[in-house]
Amino acid sequence: MVNSSQFPYFILTAYLDMGYLKYLYFVIVLMLYIVIVFANAFLIVTICMNRSLHEPMYVFLCSLLVNQLYGSAGLFPFLLLQIPFDTHTISRSMCFLQIYCLYTYASVEFCNLAVMSYDRYLAICCPLHYKARLTSNKVALFIALIWLYSLIKFIIPLYLNLRLTLCGNVTDRLYCHNYHVVKLACSVTTVNNIYGLFATFLTVFVPLFPILFSYTKILRVCVVGSKETRQKAVSTCSPHIASLINFSFGCCFEIFQSRFNMTSVPRIIRIVLSLYFLTIQPIFNPVIYGLRLSKIRQMCRNQFWCRKLKL
């Protein structure tokens, strides 16, 4: 049996032979990362600097945008370091750090979307009690619980992975993935697999319950409510639903690719879809919320014109 200490790094074999195109891909990835950082940071600053946006919906959105920056930081700098070179390796410690970062990012995203759905339920179904039920202290508590729950929950699989004895260090991935590292183990991985499924359930299905509850109530109110109520529900819920569907699609493919044989899917499609929830969601959220929420759209327009006039 080979001890895992003999493998101080992992070899990532999913990178295609790009030749001189690797410099073009490097520029594309760099520009994409700059756009993500700028778009999310711009909306975060806009929400923080305008007191009229210090409402629960926008504060939760701010937490969501911070998570986009957090998740992007776990992937893009790593990709930018890997693309220009012909060999693609990552140290053992950095691999586990990346796994922790990306998994907590996914958990925070789902939990944040769940709390945002509850916020929309209160605003549409209980408008008279909205401010009493969702005070600033409760909003801060929700955000703190979202982040603490996600950050603490993945300490256990991280510990379980660190104690594994590995028989190899080659994985067919663009970045480190928990399940693929576990598959390299030559020691018993029953506990890892069981907790991995349990953690997936906690990450996906636990936030799904408040989302389904909230939208069932909202749909019921829309059916029997006035036209104004339906318009309010559509205008404020459509960005949230679009964001939820977009992120769920990317995560579902990543889970299926990890647990099932996806060799029948073309390699380039597997690469693109494996990066989907980490690259498209951080761009999608600022665009969809910036365009659909009138308050944010107006504030962004005001900031743009104010800077233009000063220049």
Side-chain angles (χ1 to χ4, degrees):
M1 183 179 293
V2 183
N3 193 287
S4 61
S5 61
Q6 293 183 5
F7 300 112
Y9 60 88
F10 292 94
I11 301 172
L12 307 171
T13 60
Y15 290 86
L16 301 174
D17 184 11
M18 298 175 286
Y20 289 108
L21 285 176
K22 62 187 177 183
Y23 301 110
L24 174 62
Y25 294 141
F26 177 87
V27 173
I28 292 173
V29 172
L30 178 61
M31 294 302 296
L32 185 61
Y33 188 39
I34 291 172
V35 169
I36 288 173
V37 172
F38 176 79
N40 285 275
F42 181 73
L43 283 188
I44 291 170
V45 172
T46 300
I47 293 171
C48 293
M49 296 296 290
N50 293 277
R51 296 187 65 84
S52 62
L53 296 179
H54 292 181
E55 300 174 10
M57 178 173 67
Y58 300 108
V59 175
F60 290 136
L61 174 58
C62 190
S63 173
L64 193 73
L65 297 172
V66 169
N67 189 49
Q68 309 301 311
L69 295 177
Y70 170 67
S72 300
L75 175 70
F76 280 92
F78 170 75
L79 288 180
L80 292 171
L81 289 174
Q82 293 292 328
I83 291 174
F85 300 100
D86 296 324
T87 57
H88 309 285
T89 62
I90 181 173
S91 67
R92 189 169 180 269
S93 58
M94 288 302 297
C95 180
F96 289 123
L97 179 62
Q98 186 178 56
I99 290 172
Y100 180 78
C101 178
L102 298 183
Y103 273 66
T104 51
Y105 156 73
S107 179
V108 170
E109 191 80 3
F110 272 123
C111 291
N112 216 125
L113 289 169
V115 172
M116 291 174 77
S117 69
Y118 176 70
D119 167 73
R120 290 302 84 207
Y121 155 70
L122 291 179
I124 296 168
C125 302
C126 313
L128 298 178
H129 304 285
Y130 178 71
K131 290 187 177 180
R133 289 195 183 184
L134 211 56
T135 62
S136 57
N137 288 336
K138 287 183 179 179
V139 170
L141 179 62
F142 273 129
I143 292 175
L145 288 175
I146 287 169
W147 284 87
L148 286 174
Y149 167 75
S150 301
L151 293 173
I152 293 173
K153 179 177 62 178
F154 284 102
I155 291 177
I156 297 175
L158 183 65
Y159 168 74
L160 292 174
N161 284 354
L162 287 170
R163 60 193 291 272
L164 285 175
T165 301
L166 304 180
C167 289
N169 65 336
V170 179
T171 176
D172 188 26
R173 300 289 298 178
L174 289 174
Y175 54 88
C176 284
H177 191 284
N178 183 67
Y179 184 68
H180 286 263
V181 170
V182 173
K183 287 201 300 184
L184 294 173
C186 46
S187 55
V188 178
T189 61
T190 305
V191 176
N192 298 71
N193 292 329
I194 292 174
Y195 189 84
L197 292 172
F198 180 63
T200 301
F201 175 83
L202 291 178
T203 301
V204 177
F205 292 101
V206 170
L208 191 62
F209 294 134
I211 291 172
L212 293 176
F213 168 82
S214 299
Y215 278 107
T216 301
K217 295 289 186 180
I218 290 171
L219 184 61
R220 187 178 300 172
V221 168
C222 289
V223 170
V224 300
S226 62
K227 182 180 179 181
E228 183 182 351
T229 301
R230 287 193 290 271
Q231 287 177 341
K232 179 182 178 182
V234 170
S235 63
T236 61
C237 292
S238 55
H240 178 268
I241 294 173
S243 177
L244 179 63
I245 292 173
N246 182 67
F247 190 68
S248 298
F249 169 77
C251 286
C252 283
F253 181 84
E254 187 62 10
I255 292 171
F256 292 150
Q257 185 173 218
S258 299
R259 298 288 172 175
F260 303 102
N261 185 8
M262 304 288 286
T263 53
S264 59
V265 180
R267 186 180 182 85
I268 188 65
I269 294 178
R270 279 185 283 142
I271 290 173
V272 171
L273 290 179
S274 69
L275 294 171
Y276 186 92
F277 81 108
L278 292 163
T279 56
I280 303 302
Q281 186 75 354
I283 296 176
F284 184 83
N285 277 340
V287 172
I288 195 70
Y289 282 103
L291 292 177
R292 291 293 301 172
L293 297 182
S294 56
K295 266 193 174 184
I296 289 185
R297 190 169 63 247
Q298 184 61 40
M299 288 296 177
C300 291
R301 189 183 296 119
N302 291 343
Q303 284 194 6
F304 175 78
W305 284 108
C306 285
R307 288 182 179 181
K308 194 172 181 181
L309 290 172
K310 287 179 181 179
L311 291 173

